Amino acid sequence: AMDPQKFSRKLWSARKQLILMLAPLLLLPLLFVVPPKEGKCLYVVLLMAVYWCTEALPLAVTAMLPVCLFPTMGILPSKKVCPQYFLETNFLFLSGLVMASAIEEWGLHRRIALKVLKIVGVKPAWLILGMMITSSFLSMWLSNTATTAMMLPIANAILESLFGNLETLKENCKDKSDPEGDSQVNMHVLPCEKQVLTTENTSEQKNLKEVRKEAEYQMKVWKGFLISIPYAASIGGTATLTGTAPNLILVGQLKSKHDEREAAEAKAKAVIDEDYKKLGPIKFAEGSITFFFIMFAILLFTRDPKFVTGWSVFFTKGYVSDAVTGVIIISILFFFPSQCPSLCWWFDSRASNTPYVPLLSWRKAQECVPWNIILLLGGGFAMAKGCEESGLAVWIGNHLQPLAQVPPAVAVILITAFIACFTEFASNTATIIIFLPVIAELAIRVNVNPLYFMIPATTGCSYAFMLPVSTPPNSIAFASGHLMVKDMVKTGFVMNILGILCVSLAMNTWGLHMFSLHTYPDWARPLNASSATVATHAMATMNMTG
């Protein structure tokens, strides 16, 4: 007989296949408990939720399940399911991703990052703030994953110049008096002022213990640095900087001490300046992309800003959406020249007749755009459509009555907290796809503006700070190999609580006026529309957080 340990290893290695086979079987009873059409839809939704959370199938493949299951189970005809995969929101999203690939192509992101670091200086706390501001700014436009992947190499370069080699640091952290020498570094003790090295006895050799304390301190700065980037990317994805305050408080304890540090800081500054010099003056291509990038942002913002008349009044009402703006701008990138065009070239017989290079080639766009994300979004829309047509959203809404007794402000906190916990285990997109229709239905029951519940929920789903698997940015930072899961869980827990408080504060103060949440909007009036249309509407308005 096989011993249990080996058997459990076998189970673990085949876990994805087992989940694939068992999940459909375990969910079968639903079809008999819940009313027929709602039951079938719930079955598909939960099956997709399980596959998304466990990644038993690639995320994009799970997203395509509605195409297989909705028509075959008689929930929706395929000609209603398939168009959901490329709604206008997806076009807007695609144009954002193409824009990002153009920015990467010409290295504009490095320039932005280094410029910010030059401005904020190199004291650890300021450096981290600089990193976070840059990451969160970039992730408003680029995807969080792209931002993190791009900022980490820059961060590592700066850290190496500040503290020297990481391996020697780790060595110094180990307790030399410890016979094994492998005792785990005590990561959670923040350096208190008592640990500051006394510099009077510089003549004597610094003893090992002091070297070790110094190294431990530096390791902490190092970790704070790495962990702050995915956090900032996630926060910036929700287009706020509220979260940098708590991180600043965490980092504030890493106050800069001693004169030795000053040398290191000067070194780091030199590295940043050096890197920035290497970039040379702004090239024509970079300038053009900056121009289109700013243009893209301005046009998106001014199309219909609600408080003043936007430029959409020049077109037939309701014809032009953000997707149109996005696609127009990125189409220009494919033919706009990357070198400054000159008139002399026409008259100069000696000038080389090389074909001109546009800002972005289709091949580059094809390589850089994460197509799976677009399918994921589509899967979400298809799922929402199924929930609406099968009456599942209404059915769930009926069962959520108890929440209607809670005052709305408390409900906001509960909803955000629940979603922030759930998103640690599932992908952000999957979380929000599964819950938005339900939350919308709840709001309609309670008769509050659905956005009042849905904006906090959407923001909350970006608060995946605790586990490496929570979001791709966390995984990227974790893959750099210097963080431990417990480091992430500890800081992540604090971040989650602060995030939830910030959101509920925002929703009840300026959020109320910004989205005029005290009125009940027309699009939510249940004529024959049910909650899922509301959900799709809200998703469309808020899905650019990436």
Side-chain angles (χ1 to χ4, degrees), residues 333-347:
L333 296 180
F334 286 105
F335 66 78
F336 197 86
S338 57
Q339 250 107 34
C340 189
S342 75
L343 267 178
C344 319
W345 179 83
W346 289 98
F347 305 110

Side-chain angles (χ1 to χ4, degrees), residues 425-444:
F425 305 100
S427 87
N428 297 359
T429 333
T431 307
I432 207 62
I433 285 164
I434 297 166
F435 288 111
L436 261 191
V438 181
I439 290 168
E441 186 63 46
L442 175 73
I444 290 174

Side-chain angles (χ1 to χ4, degrees), residues 123-429:
K123 292 255 187 299
W126 285 109
L127 247 184
I128 293 186
L129 178 68
M131 274 305 207
M132 293 190 75
I133 290 176
T134 321
S135 306
S136 48
F137 169 74
L138 286 170
S139 80
M140 287 180 200
W141 314 103
L142 308 182
S143 75
N144 299 351
T145 321
T147 307
T148 313
M150 177 207 98
M151 293 296 289
L152 276 176
I154 299 179
N156 271 324
I158 293 169
L159 286 167
E160 297 250 316
S161 60
L162 257 179
F163 301 140
N165 187 348
L166 181 74
E167 291 314 309
T168 41
L169 244 189
K170 281 187 174 160
E171 275 306 301
N172 289 347
C173 282
K174 287 179 185 163
D175 195 341
K176 297 286 190 319
S177 55
D178 201 46
E180 287 86 49
D182 284 330
S183 66
Q184 204 35 63
V185 185
N186 195 350
M187 284 310 166
H188 41 262
V189 189
L190 273 162
C192 56
E193 300 305 317
K194 289 194 205 75
Q195 288 178 5
V196 179
L197 304 180
T198 41
T199 35
E200 291 99 66
N201 53 2
T202 34
S203 52
E204 293 172 31
Q205 267 295 235
K206 273 197 212 161
N207 61 32
L208 281 175
K209 201 162 187 189
E210 290 181 338
V211 173
R212 187 164 139 248
K213 288 216 167 109
E214 177 65 1
E216 276 184 26
Y217 163 82
Q218 294 182 346
M219 272 305 276
K220 283 186 196 100
V221 177
W222 193 296
K223 289 189 168 184
F225 220 81
L226 291 179
I227 215 165
S228 72
I229 291 172
Y231 282 1
S234 294
I235 294 161
T238 66
T240 58
L241 278 178
T242 37
T244 47
N247 277 29
L248 253 193
I249 298 162
L250 289 173
V251 174
Q253 304 176 348
L254 304 176
K255 289 205 188 58
S256 175
K257 318 180 191 108
H258 338 307
D259 321 325
E260 310 153 30
R261 293 252 166 84
E262 278 172 18
E265 281 166 13
K267 206 161 130 198
K269 206 173 172 56
V271 167
I272 294 171
D273 287 346
E274 179 62 25
D275 276 358
Y276 194 75
K277 272 206 199 80
K278 271 188 208 151
L279 292 177
I282 291 191
K283 299 187 227 20
F284 178 75
E286 286 178 84
S288 323
I289 288 184
T290 313
F291 170 73
F292 287 121
F293 183 49
I294 293 169
M295 185 88 159
F296 185 43
I298 291 174
L299 285 176
L300 284 186
F301 186 70
T302 55
R303 179 178 64 93
D304 185 15
K306 302 285 183 276
F307 48 88
V308 288
T309 330
W311 53 262
S312 57
V313 292
F314 299 123
F315 302 95
T316 320
K317 189 171 168 26
Y319 271 48
V320 179
S321 73
D322 285 343
V324 182
T325 323
V327 177
I328 289 174
I329 295 268
I330 62 165
S331 307
I332 297 175
L333 296 180
F334 286 105
F335 66 78
F336 197 86
S338 57
Q339 250 107 34
C340 189
S342 75
L343 267 178
C344 319
W345 179 83
W346 289 98
F347 305 110
D348 184 357
S349 54
R350 286 193 308 270
S352 63
N353 293 336
T354 46
Y356 86 105
V357 183
L359 284 177
L360 188 58
S361 64
W362 180 249
R363 176 178 277 154
K364 175 73 185 170
Q366 210 170 331
E367 283 166 14
C368 286
V369 171
W371 301 98
N372 56 346
I373 305 282
I374 292 175
L375 276 176
L376 256 184
L377 271 184
F381 291 135
M383 210 158 144
K385 187 82 173 151
C387 291
E388 170 192 351
E389 301 264 330
S390 65
L392 175 65
V394 180
W395 181 83
I396 294 182
N398 289 338
H399 286 266
L400 284 178
Q401 281 317 78
L403 257 182
Q405 273 82 61
V406 183
V410 179
V412 166
I413 295 183
L414 292 177
I415 290 170
T416 321
F418 171 71
I419 291 215
C421 294
F422 191 87
T423 189
E424 302 290 349
F425 305 100
S427 87
N428 297 359
T429 333

